Amino acid sequence: MSTETPETSDVSRPVKFAYWVPNVSGGLVISKIEQRTDWSLDYNVKLARLAENSGFEYALSQVRYMASYGAEFQHESTTFSFALLQATQRLKVIAAIHPGLWHPGVLAKLIATQDQLSNGRTAVNVVSGWFKGEFTALGEPWLEHDERYRRSEEFIRVLRGSWTEDHFSFSGDFYRIHGYNLKPKPLQHPHPEIFQGGTSRGARDMAARVSDWYFCNGNTAEAIKAQVDDIQGKAAPLGRRPKIGMNAFIIARDTEEEAKKVLADIVKYADKEAVNAFGDAVKQAGKASPEGQGNWASSTFEDLVQYNDGFRPNLVGTPEQIARRILDYKAVGVDLILGGFLHYLEEVEYFGKRMLPLVRELETQKSVAA
């Protein structure tokens, strides 16, 4: 049985911040523009310590299994996440994983161990999969769109059951568990947080039923509100309220003109071949949903230069402009901003010193006014 409980919506709760871990080469944009960002462990340890001291509560390690779309090299996400956990004190690190390439019981054991050894700071992001080439290269079957989400839902139910029950059993279409007795359990109660992403009907319905967090690709406030309202409307009768995270590429500079110039240059120097190849792969995955509206189904070339439509929220400008836009997203139900940056060390530090204090000041003002 799940021990999940609903969370009351509270607009006074501070918005949280996470950052994409650059554990793959090429940075967070598919562009040949200079990026003073490195995918090595030494760089990432320095970044993680800086991030947790700059107000970031979460970091998300990406999952890539082979060279693709400007990401020639990649470190495995769960291993890399644990290295960052060992190097930090407060930061929660989310490891992205693919059902179909992991067995949920085995992952449950790995994450339970990491949670014990990190004093309760692990989380997972269950990625249903968009890159067919990784599955076929490894000789694993590539399921149709909604079947991938059905498998992910069973995967999450097995994770949660393994972490919260003794002698756990489960009988599904993809997984069968017979009296699995995982000990020790994770330190976190009721269990480590479970994230997922998506845009399609299947993704949103799965989030409403089983996930703790739902990651949206970047979009306008109006479009994000529609997703939030849909998910929460489906979750409420089940006594649940998944939290909402949104991807955004953040370009904060002292002047709006400077920030816009950086964005223009990122797009100007885009790796067109890699962007188009990425677009072909992800649009196939998005349009494969029954309604044809999965992630990236309507993304333009410019949107695709940043992997998860990170330019769409328009967090580009001065710290004051960006802080106000973040509050606009919080107002429509976003609980967490998942940020990507061009030059990580400089920009994460700038975020902590210049932007986060403005966000907290605006939150206080709105709370007092309410």
Side-chain angles (χ1 to χ4, degrees):
M1 295 290 292
S2 170
T3 57
E4 66 197 17
T5 57
E7 248 190 75
T8 304
S9 177
D10 182 359
V11 295
S12 68
R13 186 185 301 114
V15 65
K16 297 178 183 293
F17 292 95
Y19 74 92
W20 283 98
V21 173
N23 58 304
V24 305
S25 62
L28 266 290
V29 289
I30 312 175
S31 178
K32 297 177 182 179
I33 192 172
E34 180 197 10
Q35 298 184 66
R36 293 187 294 276
T37 292
D38 185 48
W39 61 289
S40 69
L41 178 60
D42 287 347
Y43 179 94
N44 272 279
V45 165
K46 185 176 181 180
L47 172 61
R49 290 170 174 163
L50 175 66
E52 75 173 358
N53 290 324
S54 298
F56 286 83
E57 296 181 48
Y58 295 87
L60 172 60
S61 293
Q62 305 170 66
V63 58
R64 289 286 186 93
Y65 289 97
M66 66 183 199
S68 60
Y69 316 120
E72 184 69 17
F73 303 102
Q74 55 286 143
H75 290 300
E76 192 276 322
S77 60
T78 62
T79 310
F80 208 75
S81 294
F82 188 57
L84 298 184
L85 287 166
Q86 293 296 93
T88 53
Q89 296 180 323
R90 300 178 303 280
L91 193 70
K92 276 196 171 184
V93 186
I94 312 160
I97 58 89
H98 284 319
L101 301 180
W102 279 94
H103 186 285
V106 173
L107 183 73
K109 184 64 176 176
L110 183 150
I111 295 297
T113 297
Q114 289 192 358
D115 208 54
Q116 286 277 338
L117 299 181
S118 66
N119 196 30
R121 293 187 289 123
T122 58
V124 295
N125 181 34
V126 177
V127 182
S128 294
W130 56 265
F131 189 8
K132 182 179 179 180
E134 288 183 328
F135 282 77
T136 56
L138 293 170
E140 294 298 322
W142 177 250
L143 303 180
E144 292 301 319
H145 182 277
D146 279 10
E147 288 296 282
R148 297 199 296 274
Y149 281 96
R150 286 210 310 119
R151 177 173 62 188
S152 291
E153 181 165 340
E154 287 192 12
F155 193 97
I156 289 173
R157 292 185 185 278
V158 173
L159 283 181
R160 181 176 288 120
S162 301
W163 286 333
T164 60
E165 299 181 35
D166 291 337
H167 307 289
F168 173 68
S169 294
F170 179 87
S171 180
D173 292 335
F174 300 94
Y175 304 108
R176 284 152 295 283
I177 311 298
H178 309 287
Y180 182 39
N181 200 22
L182 187 156
K183 289 187 178 180
K185 303 287 195 234
L187 286 182
Q188 295 182 77
H189 293 286
H191 53 72
E193 292 173 293
I194 300 170
F195 293 72
Q196 70 148 104
T199 298
S200 67
R201 176 77 273 153
R204 284 175 279 149
D205 287 352
M206 186 180 99
R209 289 190 294 265
V210 298
S211 299
D212 301 314
W213 285 87
Y214 174 82
F215 274 138
C216 305
N217 270 11
N219 215 320
T220 64
E222 294 76 15
I224 295 296
K225 183 179 187 302
Q227 290 185 60
V228 172
D229 290 348
D230 180 72
I231 292 165
Q232 305 300 16
K234 291 286 186 72
L238 304 175
R240 306 189 71 250
R241 183 190 176 273
K243 298 192 212 65
I244 306 296
M246 184 190 70
N247 179 66
F249 195 80
I250 301 171
I251 305 175
R253 300 293 187 271
D254 291 341
T255 68
E256 182 180 10
E257 291 73 22
E258 184 184 1
K260 288 184 174 180
K261 175 67 163 50
V262 172
L263 175 57
D265 284 346
I266 291 171
V267 176
K268 177 181 178 180
Y269 295 107
D271 184 336
K272 293 182 179 179
E273 182 179 352
V275 173
N276 287 327
F278 173 68
D280 288 343
V282 297
K283 282 176 177 288
Q284 180 277 329
K287 290 179 179 177
S289 64
E291 72 280 10
Q293 288 299 315
N295 272 351
W296 303 286
S298 62
S299 300
T300 66
F301 178 90
E302 180 177 311
D303 295 330
L304 293 167
V305 175
Q306 205 290 312
Y307 291 108
N308 291 91
D309 292 336
F311 300 148
R312 283 188 172 188
N314 194 29
L315 298 192
V316 179
T318 66
E320 294 80 4
Q321 290 172 320
I322 295 174
R324 292 188 182 280
R325 288 179 193 138
I326 288 172
L327 267 290
D328 290 340
Y329 282 99
K330 180 182 177 182
V332 300
V334 171
D335 300 287
L336 176 147
I337 299 293
L338 172 60
F341 301 89
L342 188 64
H343 309 304
Y344 263 86
L345 289 176
E346 301 99 305
E347 295 187 40
V348 163
E349 184 175 26
Y350 187 89
F351 178 93
K353 290 181 177 179
R354 294 288 308 279
M355 197 180 318
L356 187 58
L358 292 173
V359 172
R360 298 302 182 225
E361 181 181 341
L362 288 172
E363 287 177 325
T364 299
Q365 291 174 4
K366 287 183 178 293
S367 179
V368 171

